[in-house]
Amino acid sequence: MSATERACPPAGLERDVPLSRTTSARVGGPADYFVVAKSSEELERAARWGISEGLDLLVLGAGSNVVVADRGFRGLVIKSISRGVRVLGEDEEGVVVELDSGTFLPSAAKTLARLGVTGLEWGVGIPGTAGGAVVGNAGAYGGEIRDTLLEIDALDSRGGTVTLANEDLGFVYRGSAIKRGEADVSAILRVRHRLSRGDLAAAEARTRELLSERRRKEPVEPSVGSTFKNPEGTTAGILIESLGLKGLRVGRAMVSPKHANYMINTGGATAAEVRELIELVQRTVFERSGVLLETEIEFKGEW
Ligand SMILES: Cc1cc2nc3c(=O)[nH]c(=O)nc-3n(C[C@H](O)[C@H](O)[C@H](O)COP(=O)(O)OP(=O)(O)OC[C@H]3O[C@@H](n4cnc5c(N)ncnc54)[C@H](O)[C@@H]3O)c2cc1C
């Protein structure tokens, strides 16, 4: 698409939609423009429209790894709920599976386990999407996205379609070239993984076991999940807890009494309160232990 070519506004486009509705922490002010993309094609069309209008673009999956400012986002927010799990082929190297970017990871993990395809069971407790998981190189229980990702189909900042391989994505622990702003990706459309043929009963049992472990350990309140990356030699949760910070509050945001790396919204918290709490924990941990915790979550919008 050339810069002068204007695309049609996407169906379902809305104005001034509060992003607190669409983020797991239930905070975030209005997006100037907001649309839900139910398929890769809708995501592509909406992104191309935003680009042709010169709007800043923010694609969200489940909004489970972002804190959006109370002032919201000046531009177009596209929420990707494009869902689909397809087995593309199988050979001696494994099973190639394609997921639409808005596919919820827990559903993908369960669907694949039912097909006897293993390698993504660890995603069963992560409340994010296949696209968002690539951006943050999500992981749990010893698995992470970069272990099995083959490639992604995406749109670049001019609306052109590109395919980027695992090695183009600069994966590091809970990060990627996309998250660092080093890859020209405005929207991930589809992701492909190379997984393995495994035992159906074992894969299903593993997803059940991981899910029940999650439920035991995690707070039930709205949150952005694990806020800080784990530092060398320990976990962020253990470190924060060891300094007695569980239950610390800023307004209606609180360090979860159940898991110290989760900042929870106890009801009606603002994004500013969540951010202030995160920065207070970071400062306190640094002053008392010398460890500078790095955030795993991203701050988005107009702060
Ligand atoms: C209770 C809880 C538990 C969690 N546990 C874990 C865990 O164990 N391990 C872990 O790694 N994470 C965990 N998380 C964090 C989060 O769920 C993951 O990082 C998840 O992969 C984020 O996916 P998402 O769809 O919610 O991304 P979002 O929060 O919507 O977005 C995250 C980033 O990806 C970008 N993005 C999303 N979709 C697209 C797309 N289609 N195209 C381009 N960019 C896109 C966004 O712009 C943003 O930069 C947890 C979160 C919660 C709330």
Side-chain angles (χ1 to χ4, degrees):
M1 189 184 63
S2 80
T4 51
E5 207 178 311
R6 303 285 288 267
C8 277
L13 184 70
E14 294 178 82
R15 295 291 310 258
D16 303 323
V17 173
L19 293 171
S20 52
R21 281 192 210 155
T22 196
T23 56
S24 64
R26 301 280 176 266
V27 298
D32 287 348
Y33 296 91
F34 180 83
V35 70
V36 175
K38 294 187 274 318
S39 65
S40 294
E41 293 70 31
E42 286 188 11
L43 175 54
E44 213 170 321
R45 269 201 297 278
R48 287 210 168 110
W49 174 77
I51 291 167
S52 74
E53 293 294 314
L55 296 171
D56 280 344
L57 215 63
L58 173 63
V59 181
L60 289 180
S64 65
N65 211 31
V66 291
V67 178
V68 179
D70 296 312
R71 280 203 281 268
F73 184 79
R74 303 290 72 80
L76 170 65
V77 174
I78 307 173
K79 182 174 176 67
S80 171
I81 60 162
S82 61
R83 293 181 185 135
V85 178
R86 295 173 288 276
V87 174
L88 298 186
E90 185 163 355
D91 58 24
E92 59 286 349
E93 284 188 72
V95 186
V96 176
V97 168
E98 182 174 76
L99 309 175
D100 289 318
S101 69
T103 306
F104 203 45
L105 273 189
S107 330
K110 285 184 209 157
T111 303
L112 290 166
R114 275 198 297 275
L115 295 171
V117 176
T118 71
L120 278 183
E121 295 92 312
W122 56 265
V124 74
I126 299 187
T129 62
V134 168
V135 174
N137 185 28
Y141 303 111
E144 56 183 354
I145 287 292
R146 69 173 154 189
D147 297 343
T148 55
L149 186 85
L150 267 180
E151 57 190 13
I152 63 169
D153 294 334
L155 292 185
D156 64 22
S157 54
R158 281 159 299 126
T161 318
V162 289
T163 295
L164 297 173
N166 183 317
E167 49 281 17
D168 303 325
L169 290 168
F171 285 122
V172 293
Y173 164 62
R174 297 300 171 268
S176 69
I178 305 175
K179 190 168 175 177
R180 296 189 297 274
E182 294 164 5
D184 184 12
V185 167
S186 59
I188 299 172
L189 303 172
R190 290 169 290 273
V191 314
R192 286 183 284 282
H193 285 267
R194 188 184 295 286
L195 302 170
S196 313
R197 177 59 58 191
D199 179 60
L200 187 149
E204 285 201 297
R206 175 100 179 117
T207 53
R208 272 199 304 275
E209 175 200 324
L210 295 180
L211 202 53
S212 71
E213 191 172 331
R214 278 270 155 168
R215 288 192 176 132
R216 243 182 336 102
K217 286 191 179 160
E218 267 178 7
V220 292
E221 297 88 348
S223 78
V224 272
S226 294
T227 305
F228 298 103
K229 296 177 189 172
N230 290 326
E232 278 289 308
T234 185
T235 70
I238 290 173
L239 182 58
I240 298 167
E241 181 173 357
S242 72
L243 297 172
L245 300 179
K246 274 184 165 177
L248 180 71
R249 275 175 178 268
V250 172
R252 286 146 295 177
M254 179 166 76
V255 178
S256 164
K258 197 164 175 190
H259 190 313
N261 200 20
Y262 285 62
M263 308 299 134
I264 59 174
N265 179 351
T266 60
T270 61
E273 288 171 345
V274 173
R275 186 166 189 162
E276 223 181 287
L277 179 66
I278 291 170
E279 290 171 354
L280 177 62
V281 169
Q282 202 172 28
R283 242 185 355 263
T284 310
V285 169
F286 183 66
E287 283 164 8
R288 296 200 200 154
S289 73
V291 176
L292 183 60
L293 289 176
E294 241 186 274
T295 48
E296 177 180 323
I297 53 119
E298 295 179 81
F299 296 103
K300 296 283 189 186
E302 200 184 16
W303 285 93

